[in-house]
């Protein structure tokens, strides 16, 4: 690991010379060299995934992570938990904004690994792109991770939420802590969703990604999610399971103005009300 850091430090110090073709006579093109560099294991993950997935192969399978992350989880499980490991730059993230690296990692870790790179802000974007890495998470990675964690079985989510080894603690270092489920969702996923254009978010309008506040519990009651299209901004009282108010959703959903970005309806349409009544009538059957 120390040698890998020395390689990265040397690379950053000499990159201006490496990119100058006049000083690299007889050497292969820089693009070819960077592609090879991207496949080498030179960087460590910023933090390990939550222990609920390191200690349970079943939980990892339920998550269905991207193949590189699945391999990383298998390594950690074989090691018995968080361990020193180096991963390639290709397909992973070299963050250009390091003040919120833990939040970025929380928002995408099942689809791309955020790397702990010395002097990450000084890494040239040409080097990042040439090595096949990203300076930030893509929306495909962010959306994929959000859908992956909100689709997990309630028992897995509750085991993750209850594990205090992963929770970020106020006033203490977040190094080595990936965040509880609720911290990842509300402080990682939702804020990054708020950076997207409404048109980009439209694909998630009918996905179950909004955590209900009254469904959240550290007890055995299951966590419950609804689609943004089920949140009605002007309703004073909900009509589960068809309609919910902003108060029914966790506060972070409205705090980051996601109801506006998702263009949540203000009130149900007449057609919706009729369809809900028909559904309730069919469900009730012969019951009074």
């Amino acid at each position: 690991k120390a040698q890998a850091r020395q390689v990265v430090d040397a690379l950053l110090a000499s990159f201006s010379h490496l990119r100058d073709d006049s000083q690299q006579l007889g050497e292969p093109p820089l693009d070819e060299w960077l592609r090879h560099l991207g496949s080498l294991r030179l960087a460590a993950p910023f933090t390990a995934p939550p222990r609920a997935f390191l200690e349970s192969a079943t939980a990892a399978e339920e998550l269905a992570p991207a193949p590189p992350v699945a391999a990383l989880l298998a390594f950690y499980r074989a090691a018995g938990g968080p361990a020193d490991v180096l991963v390639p730059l290709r397909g992973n993230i070299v963050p250009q904004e390091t003040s919120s690296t833990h939040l970025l990692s929380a928002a995408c870790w099942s689809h791309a690994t955020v790397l702990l790179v010395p002097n990450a802000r000084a890494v040239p974007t040409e080097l990042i792109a040439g090595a096949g890495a990203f300076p930030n998470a893509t929306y495909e990675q962010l959306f994929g991770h959000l859908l992956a964690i909100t689709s997990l079985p309630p028992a897995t989510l509750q085991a993750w939420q209850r594990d205090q080894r992963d929770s970020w603690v106020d006033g203490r270092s977040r190094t080595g802590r990936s965040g509880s489920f609720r911290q990842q969702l509300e402080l990682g996923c939702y804020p990054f969703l708020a950076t997207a254009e409404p048109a980009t978010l439209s694909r998630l309008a009918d996905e179950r990604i909004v955590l209900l506040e009254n469904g959240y519990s550290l007890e055995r009651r299951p966590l419950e999610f609804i689609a943004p299209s089920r949140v009605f901004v002007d309703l004073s009282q909900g009509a589960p399971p068809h309609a919910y108010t902003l108060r029914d959703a966790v506060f972070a959903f409205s705090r980051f103005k996601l109801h506006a970005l998702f263009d949540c309806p203000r009130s149900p349409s007449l057609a919706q009300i009729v369809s809900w009544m028909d559904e309730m009538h069919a469900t009730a059957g012969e019951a009074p």
Side-chain angles (χ1 to χ4, degrees):
K1 195 171 182 179
Q3 290 178 328
R5 180 164 186 167
Q6 291 174 355
V7 170
V8 173
D9 288 343
L11 177 62
L12 295 179
S14 60
F15 189 71
S16 60
H17 298 288
L18 293 173
R19 68 192 302 183
D20 186 351
D21 291 339
S22 66
Q23 299 187 43
Q24 303 298 323
L25 299 178
E27 297 295 332
L30 180 62
D31 290 348
E32 179 182 331
W33 186 81
L34 287 176
R35 282 195 298 271
H36 176 68
L37 178 76
S39 65
L40 301 180
R41 297 180 180 274
L42 291 176
F46 175 78
T47 189
R51 287 168 174 80
F53 305 97
L54 304 188
E55 298 172 356
S56 170
T58 300
E61 291 172 0
E62 292 168 345
L63 182 70
V69 178
L72 187 59
L73 285 170
F75 173 87
Y76 283 128
R77 287 200 305 275
D84 285 342
V85 61
L86 294 175
V87 296
L89 298 177
R90 181 175 299 144
N92 292 319
I93 299 169
V94 179
Q96 296 292 277
E97 177 49 63
T98 56
S99 62
S100 57
T101 305
H102 63 296
L103 300 180
L104 176 61
S105 179
C108 68
W109 64 264
S110 70
H111 279 59
T113 300
V114 176
L115 304 177
L116 182 61
V117 176
N119 303 316
R121 290 182 176 179
V123 179
T125 55
E126 183 181 355
L127 191 159
I128 295 173
F134 302 94
N136 207 335
T138 67
Y139 285 118
E140 291 298 326
Q141 293 164 342
L142 294 169
F143 294 172
H145 177 67
L146 174 63
L147 293 172
I149 65 173
T150 55
S151 299
L152 287 167
T156 300
L157 289 177
Q158 288 170 336
W160 175 7
Q161 179 65 30
R162 285 193 296 262
D163 194 336
Q164 295 301 308
R165 295 174 296 175
D166 285 313
S167 295
W168 295 321
V169 182
D170 289 340
R172 295 180 58 186
S173 172
R174 292 174 172 81
T175 302
R177 292 174 177 263
S178 58
S180 68
F181 164 71
R182 183 158 178 164
Q183 286 172 331
Q184 288 204 0
L185 180 70
E186 296 186 56
L187 301 178
C189 297
Y190 284 172
F192 278 97
L193 285 188
T195 67
E197 293 292 333
T200 305
L201 291 176
S202 62
R203 72 183 81 171
L204 298 177
D206 293 314
E207 299 287 353
R208 297 167 67 89
I209 60 171
V210 182
L211 177 62
L212 293 180
E213 186 63 64
N214 57 11
Y216 168 73
S217 173
L218 289 178
E219 302 170 359
R220 294 186 179 276
R221 287 179 294 172
L223 283 74
E224 187 177 356
F225 298 89
I226 60 169
S229 58
R230 295 276 187 174
V231 178
F232 293 88
V233 178
D234 285 348
L235 283 188
S236 59
Q237 184 173 348
H242 304 293
Y244 298 84
T245 71
L246 271 179
R247 295 189 307 277
D248 293 322
V250 291
F251 176 65
F253 185 75
S254 58
R255 176 189 176 191
F256 293 109
K257 309 298 182 184
L258 291 177
H259 60 289
L261 293 174
F262 276 108
D263 195 21
C264 291
R266 304 193 70 83
S267 58
S269 66
L270 180 59
Q272 285 177 312
I273 294 174
V274 171
S275 70
W276 297 340
M277 293 179 66
D278 288 342
E279 183 179 332
M280 289 187 285
H281 178 75
T283 303
E286 300 299 324

